[in-house]
Amino acid sequence: MSQLFQDFQPIVAIATTPTAAKKLQPLCQATGATLWVPESLRDFESVEVYTGSLKTHVAALWQQNRAFIFCLATGAVVRLIAPLLEDKSRDPAVIVIDEKGQFVISLCSGHQGKADQLARLIAHQLDATPILTGASTALGFPGVDILGVPFGWQRGEGDWTGVSAAVARGEEVEVIQEAGSTLLQVATSATSSVARGRIWISPTRRQFLPESKLPEVQWHPRVLWVGIGCERGTSKELIETAIGEVCRSNNLAEKAIAGIATIDLKADEVGLVEFCQERNLPLRTFSAEVLRMVNVPTPSTVVDKEVGTPSVAEAAAIVAANGDVGEQCLAPLLVKKQIFKSENQPGAVTVAIAQSQLEYTGRIGQLLLIGTGPGQLNQITPAAQTAVAAADAVIGYSLYIDLIAPLLHPGQIIEALPITQERQRAKRAIELAQWGLTVAVVSSGDCGIYGMAGLVLEELRAQGWDGKIPGVQVFPGITALQAAASRVGAPLMHDFCAISLSDLLTPWEMIEKRLRAAAQADFVTALYNPRSQTRTQQIGTARDIFLQYRDPNTPVALVRSAYRQDEQITLTTLEKLLDTPIDMLTTVLIGNQSTRTHGDWMITPRGYLGFDSESGGS
Ligand code: SAH
């Protein structure tokens, strides 16, 4: 199963006819869905069989699954799920696919249930059309109720329907952002005078008046680090009450809590550990040596004597909010320490809160290293297309981003960078993935052939990556030599090699050595990066080296911008190679001693000496 479908698990697929089951089988393999069929289809492989009515069965599966894929008439699906639907914030995603596999309908829970996104990914997988009918899709807006999801923001209270409706009507909505990432440029920002709705992005918990005419909602980026100090044996309930109380009295949303910070001595404090598990919050612990370096408003000599630092709660909150100790601590305390005791609960707890600049996403990032082929969309593998659509952020050279524009959708962060900044691009991608985003890094052709995959992996290794987090997946693409070859026939039919003439990262002596070796060994040779505006001599030298070993009439193909609008193809010979303009968009294919041209075609025989005996057939 591809990691791309991780966020949707568990997924159920349902087929009631043999055609539908055949359609869904490979999809289930790709998505990790469980395929359910009636008894009549029990002979199908890798299926689960339900008995009795489908209606009862769907009802039984409804609560435990996050997505349903039906290959069934839409009407039938509507009748099946109608009695089960409760609320768009809780209902699972419901997708319908027709038996021919031409359409993938996002039927229910398009936003919060992620059905729209799942439908998009499945459509790429099946080469089908996704049917998304939500208004925000057409407006180029990610949807009021999902825009913070990539950053782990939590939805707070508010009139979500009212603000979404204002956006859908094309009305202005004011966005007031007080915390969190500004990577996503929210397109509809307006001033308060014309606004018909308002979105707050903040750790503050606002109470909206029910009679207010202006619908308002609030997203809470997780920027609050709660520092805790407590006596041994303090109960989970007391910790919970204390944090709740501190948040309430300071108008802070509990949903904006990033995590809990304390001293390492408390890493096994039962009440604290239970509280974190229940709320799914990280527990960050620091040593007394680290904590004592922090300047805090309320130090205590008693605490210092006991644990070796004058502050636990305040210092831990500040350190956690800063990411690490650093030279000087920047994140200020938002709430000074407050002490709680209760007659009914054991222990005592101290709470302090600091606010971080960067929100905690609570997600494990992924790097999708994607080859997008030579140019045309239909030369990109469905897996790579799915990966581009699955990404929260897409990073690449602007020309390639333009070529894949139809695969992008509102809500994705697009970072197009100039061609020369490959290393910065790799570093940026890693930074975003370490923060928790799913990041697509796109290269033309294959990303592992003079592409970004190597740069990203090299950089990860240099940073001491453990090989697992962030996760990495590589999606192959059609490389330039294959694309170029296909346009002139079959020049790569026998042993071949690729040599890049760019000496930016490789010493020229090494390149020359390889050219000589390839020429001598009679490899068909593809030259990448043959010539740039400043690097003009190398292609001439390469030609001269080949002429020492090969006939001047050896066929050569110059393929420029294969599969792009400005494609140019020239068939020539080794001797005349320099008569045609060659640039950085060209791939040069030099034939071996048996390569011949035939009209507009360049053909390298499958074997040598004019007969096929060593080719092993086919
Ligand atoms: N990762 C890419 C190669 C990048 S190096 C791949 O696998 O194809 C850039 C070089 O690739 C260019 O200088 C050119 O030689 C070649 N190239 C890339 N796209 C091409 C295309 N559409 N047509 C011809 N050559 C291309």
Side-chain angles (χ1 to χ4, degrees):
M1 178 196 68
S2 162
Q3 283 171 29
L4 301 178
F5 293 92
Q6 201 166 275
D7 284 356
F8 303 96
Q9 304 300 334
I11 311 176
V12 161
I14 289 160
T16 55
T17 67
T19 320
K22 272 191 208 129
K23 190 92 248 162
L24 290 187
Q25 252 175 343
L27 187 67
C28 287
Q29 215 165 19
T31 58
T34 310
L35 178 54
W36 286 92
V37 295
E39 288 201 59
S40 56
L41 303 179
R42 67 160 54 251
D43 292 341
F44 272 83
E45 261 174 50
S46 325
V47 291
E48 300 278 337
V49 177
Y50 65 85
T51 49
S53 92
L54 179 54
K55 193 161 194 159
T56 319
H57 187 61
V58 171
L61 295 173
W62 192 249
Q63 298 291 344
Q64 293 86 43
N65 289 282
R66 289 179 55 194
F68 284 76
I69 305 171
F70 291 92
C71 190
L72 205 64
T74 318
V77 176
V78 170
R79 284 176 215 290
L80 279 170
I81 65 166
L84 304 170
L85 294 171
E86 277 177 49
D87 185 281
K88 66 178 176 186
S89 64
R90 281 194 299 276
D91 291 333
V94 181
I95 306 282
V96 186
I97 302 174
D98 64 308
E99 281 204 352
K100 276 192 177 164
Q102 289 179 299
F103 304 105
V104 181
I105 306 170
S106 165
L107 189 69
C108 256
S109 304
H111 285 173
Q112 295 176 44
K114 302 202 184 90
D116 283 1
Q117 178 66 346
L118 183 58
R120 260 188 213 114
L121 301 193
I122 292 176
H124 283 301
Q125 204 76 25
L126 298 177
D127 196 14
T129 306
I131 314 260
L132 314 178
T133 52
S136 57
T137 313
L139 293 167
F141 189 72
V144 174
D145 55 348
I146 51 169
L147 63 89
V149 170
F151 315 108
W153 298 354
Q154 302 290 307
R155 271 179 296 268
E157 288 152 43
D159 181 359
W160 289 91
T161 312
V163 179
S164 298
V167 171
R169 288 191 298 265
E171 292 170 355
E172 304 269 4
V173 169
E174 185 183 17
V175 179
I176 301 176
Q177 182 159 14
E178 297 169 335
S181 148
T182 51
L183 277 176
L184 193 67
Q185 298 296 321
V186 184
T188 62
S189 49
T191 51
S192 21
S193 56
V194 290
R196 291 285 176 275
R198 187 177 289 143
I199 302 172
W200 292 92
I201 302 168
S202 155
T204 301
R205 179 165 171 253
R206 291 190 163 73
Q207 317 254 327
F208 303 130
L209 299 172
E211 65 270 21
S212 160
K213 288 231 172 59
L214 188 74
E216 295 184 84
V217 294
Q218 48 195 336
W219 273 105
H220 301 302
R222 295 175 63 184
V223 289
L224 304 179
W225 284 93
V226 179
I228 296 280
C230 65
E231 284 178 5
R232 264 283 163 227
T234 301
S235 71
K236 184 195 80 183
E237 287 72 22
L238 184 60
I239 295 169
E240 200 161 35
T241 315
I243 293 175
E245 191 48 47
V246 171
C247 285
R248 222 177 348 272
S249 54
N250 290 280
N251 293 323
L252 294 170
E254 284 192 48
K255 286 185 170 178
I257 296 177
I260 304 297
T262 188
I263 189 164
D264 51 11
L265 293 171
K266 299 285 169 201
D268 59 353
E269 185 65 47
V270 177
L272 204 51
V273 171
E274 277 178 6
F275 174 76
C276 289
Q277 276 170 352
E278 209 165 88
R279 299 282 184 103
N280 201 11
L281 293 172
L283 178 61
R284 298 242 163 108
T285 60
F286 305 97
S287 66
E289 291 77 60
V290 168
L291 297 179
R292 61 178 304 122
M293 285 162 63
V294 186
N295 268 335
V296 296
T298 345
S300 148
T301 44
V302 179
V303 174
D304 197 4
K305 270 210 194 106
E306 221 168 281
V307 293
T309 164
S311 164
V312 172
E314 293 184 345
I318 292 176
V319 179
N322 275 293
D324 69 76
V325 226
E327 297 283 285
Q328 81 250 59
C329 288
L330 299 170
L333 262 194
L334 209 58
V335 181
K336 284 192 219 168
K337 81 171 182 190
Q338 299 182 19
I339 301 171
F340 291 82
K341 287 192 174 104
S342 158
E343 280 167 18
N344 317 323
Q345 299 289 342
V349 56
T350 311
V351 181
I353 300 181
Q355 180 172 339
S356 63
Q357 280 243 296
L358 191 66
E359 63 271 50
Y360 172 75
T361 62
R363 303 176 65 208
I364 293 176
Q366 286 191 67
L367 285 158
L368 311 175
L369 310 179
I370 304 174
T372 57
Q376 251 172 38
L377 279 186
N378 63 9
Q379 301 281 351
I380 308 180
T381 68
Q385 297 195 18
T386 313
V388 171
D392 302 311
V394 182
I395 296 186
Y397 166 42
S398 31
L399 171 67
Y400 307 144
I401 301 252
D402 291 347
L403 290 169
I404 58 162
L407 301 177
L408 304 173
H409 58 84
Q412 282 180 310
I413 300 153
I414 310 298
E415 296 201 355
L417 290 161
I419 191 157
T420 47
Q421 298 178 3
E422 284 99 349
R423 285 202 190 272
Q424 283 98 311
R425 247 182 276 161
K427 286 201 171 119
R428 176 67 179 152
I430 293 170
E431 184 184 34
L432 292 179
Q434 275 164 344
W435 184 42
L437 301 193
T438 298
V439 185
V441 182
V442 298
S443 288
S444 78
D446 186 276
C447 58
I449 299 178
Y450 312 120
M452 290 297 296
L455 288 173
V456 171
L457 287 165
E458 245 181 81
E459 182 61 33
L460 278 171
R461 196 180 59 157
Q463 295 184 11
W465 181 48
D466 69 354
K468 295 191 183 74
I469 296 176
V472 171
Q473 262 192 99
V474 185
F475 295 83
I478 297 174
T479 187
L481 65 80
Q482 290 168 290
S486 71
R487 304 299 287 134
V488 293
L492 303 175
M493 202 58 208
H494 213 284
D495 303 340
F496 66 88
C497 68
I499 300 178
S500 164
L501 296 191
S502 168
D503 55 358
L504 284 178
L505 302 169
T506 312
W508 177 248
E509 299 74 57
M510 174 70 89
I511 299 171
E512 231 183 81
K513 194 169 145 194
R514 292 199 175 148
L515 287 168
R516 205 170 292 286
Q520 196 171 15
D522 203 35
F523 279 110
V524 176
T525 304
L527 301 179
Y528 281 68
N529 301 305
R531 180 184 185 150
S532 74
Q533 274 168 351
T534 51
R535 219 169 25 74
T536 53
Q537 301 305 314
Q538 284 83 347
I539 183 68
T541 313
R543 184 197 75 140
D544 296 343
I545 291 172
F546 272 83
L547 275 173
Q548 289 172 28
Y549 301 93
R550 282 186 212 179
D551 192 292
N553 286 320
T554 302
V556 167
L558 306 173
V559 183
R560 183 179 187 278
S561 294
Y563 292 100
R564 296 184 193 151
Q565 263 179 348
D566 48 346
E567 180 185 84
Q568 278 166 12
I569 298 169
T570 313
L571 279 188
T572 175
T573 62
L574 195 52
E575 192 176 25
K576 300 200 182 116
L577 163 59
L578 296 176
D579 298 354
T580 311
I582 291 176
D583 63 10
M584 276 301 270
L585 298 175
T586 311
T587 297
V588 178
L589 300 175
I590 304 173
N592 70 14
Q593 69 177 46
S594 344
T595 304
R596 298 289 178 269
T597 45
H598 181 81
D600 289 341
W601 302 98
M602 179 169 172
I603 305 161
T604 298
R606 181 73 173 81
Y608 273 76
L609 308 172
F611 57 86
D612 241 4
S613 60
E614 68 168 27
S615 74
S618 67

